[in-house]
Amino acid sequence: MQLRSKYYTYPVIVEGGDFYVDSYFKTDANKEMIGFDIKFTLEADLKNPQLEQLLEEEKVLIVHHIECPQTCLRLIIKTKEKKMQRVISNADVNGIVQICSFLVANEDLHKYTNDYFSPDYKGFKFEIEKGCVMAVGDQINFRINKVKDDLANKSSIFSIMPNMDENATNMQIDLTGQKIAILLPKETFSIYKNMEETSEVQQAMHQMLIVPALMYVFSELKSSKEQLFMYENQRWFRNLKKTCEKIGTPINEDTLDNINIVELSQLVIGNPIVGGMKVMAGTGDNYEG
């Protein structure tokens, strides 16, 4: 949503407007990465005693409009709080995210007047319908770069393949190549191949295969923390290290002792456990992250 100049038939607090005196509505927004989620902090500063009272009574509300043109995400957040936070999944946005904020009538305002009208409007009364804009804040644009290089996608750093050892009965992990090799017994691999393109079971498969594989990887890195240079030439290590740095958990000799292997293994691929469980319970189609 791009803010544009607009003509109003009733007084509105807007930058450069002449409807009010000694009044303003200023807004701001900040973002912070929380794992693969983005936490937006939305703030509004209103100066106008009568509108502040209407806000307290919830007869007007602050409305934040969040839009990402590239992903078609559109969110409308209504609140009486002048500072609030909203968490959005990194998967829902990409590129420019636009945040526009307004003060909007939450009910019909009959014979609305304000002591801070400019002289040209002093004494006038207006019929304001529910939904009408009472003040226009600022537009804040953020560029959101994808944090994860889609580590959950097996084509990125994972290679799932059959174990050619006829006696193998369990999943095995091989870290010697450019990808993390997940070796499955032949019969298990055949079942996996039949399901891998079925989107409904992707999260369940990630839970069963990739999360344990990552737990093994982080365990191995912990045990060889003083020799991490051995992995520097392998693509899976560089990508994994980059992703961990972006979510605030750098992988190095000093930090490995303190990482929580279980939590980090889920975090780096977007916490698939809940979604996977819902799929296996037969409720995956209705799950909203």
Side-chain angles (χ1 to χ4, degrees):
M1 180 178 186
Q2 191 73 29
L3 286 182
R4 297 180 175 85
S5 298
K6 182 178 179 180
Y7 175 74
Y8 294 95
T9 58
Y10 57 91
V12 174
I13 298 177
V14 60
E15 185 177 1
D18 59 359
F19 292 115
Y20 288 83
V21 297
D22 297 327
S23 301
Y24 59 72
F25 181 64
K26 299 178 181 179
T27 59
D28 197 7
N30 291 287
K31 69 178 177 69
E32 176 186 0
M33 297 304 301
I34 307 295
F36 287 129
D37 295 328
I38 307 163
K39 181 172 73 175
F40 290 101
T41 299
L42 310 172
E43 299 185 70
D45 185 11
L46 173 63
K47 181 184 178 183
N48 183 281
Q50 285 162 270
L51 285 174
E52 289 182 62
Q53 181 61 38
L54 291 177
L55 179 62
E56 181 64 28
E57 298 170 355
E58 299 189 37
K59 294 181 179 180
V60 301
L61 290 175
I62 299 166
V63 175
H64 301 288
H65 184 282
I66 303 177
E67 180 173 334
C68 180
Q70 188 164 331
T71 64
C72 297
L73 172 76
R74 297 185 69 184
L75 292 177
I76 302 294
I77 302 171
K78 300 179 181 180
T79 180
K80 63 176 289 188
E81 303 301 326
K82 293 185 178 179
K83 183 175 182 179
M84 65 161 296
Q85 295 177 331
R86 180 65 177 261
V87 176
I88 297 176
S89 171
N90 179 259
D92 293 334
V93 295
N94 190 26
I96 299 297
V97 173
Q98 301 168 340
I99 301 179
C100 304
S101 302
F102 308 88
L103 189 70
V104 174
N106 194 39
E107 61 182 58
D108 294 342
L109 304 176
H110 300 291
K111 298 181 179 180
Y112 170 75
T113 189
N114 196 295
D115 293 339
Y116 288 80
F117 280 165
S118 63
D120 289 343
Y121 299 94
K122 210 75 168 177
F124 282 84
K125 297 181 180 180
F126 297 86
E127 294 297 314
I128 307 295
E129 295 181 353
K130 181 179 180 179
C132 286
V133 173
M134 306 297 293
V136 180
D138 302 283
Q139 175 173 325
I140 311 296
N141 292 342
F142 292 107
R143 178 172 290 280
I144 306 296
N145 296 316
K146 287 292 185 183
V147 175
K148 59 180 177 180
D149 298 322
D150 197 14
L151 294 184
N153 183 337
K154 70 177 181 64
S155 65
S156 59
I157 67 170
F158 297 97
S159 179
I160 301 176
M161 58 184 66
N163 192 328
M164 304 312 295
D165 182 355
E166 298 290 344
N167 297 318
T169 57
N170 298 310
M171 180 177 78
Q172 297 178 9
I173 309 297
D174 182 2
L175 303 181
T176 59
Q178 291 299 312
K179 295 185 178 183
I180 298 169
I182 301 176
L183 305 174
L184 301 178
K186 286 187 176 181
E187 183 178 353
T188 305
F189 180 77
S190 296
I191 297 172
Y192 160 78
K193 288 298 291 183
N194 289 332
M195 296 191 304
E196 67 171 335
E197 301 302 328
T198 306
S199 60
E200 290 81 2
V201 298
Q202 281 292 322
Q203 286 182 312
M205 288 167 54
H206 293 161
Q207 176 185 348
M208 290 186 290
L209 298 179
I210 294 179
V211 172
L214 282 169
M215 290 174 63
Y216 174 84
V217 170
F218 286 125
S219 178
E220 287 295 300
L221 294 179
K222 259 191 170 186
S223 65
S224 58
K225 64 178 182 178
E226 297 177 358
Q227 297 176 312
L228 293 180
F229 62 88
M230 296 188 304
Y231 301 108
E232 289 291 346
N233 292 327
Q234 291 165 285
R235 182 160 67 92
W236 67 261
F237 179 74
R238 296 196 300 270
N239 286 4
L240 187 60
K241 186 177 179 180
K242 179 181 176 182
T243 299
C244 289
E245 288 174 353
K246 287 183 177 180
I247 62 175
T249 308
I251 298 300
N252 55 54
E253 183 178 343
D254 297 326
T255 60
L256 277 167
D257 277 339
N258 298 320
I259 67 170
N260 184 314
I261 290 176
V262 176
E263 291 183 0
L264 188 58
S265 298
Q266 298 172 66
L267 187 60
V268 295
I269 59 169
N271 291 317
I273 299 298
V274 173
M277 286 292 188
K278 286 183 175 288
V279 169
M280 290 189 290
T283 60
D285 291 342
N286 297 321
Y287 175 69
E288 296 181 2

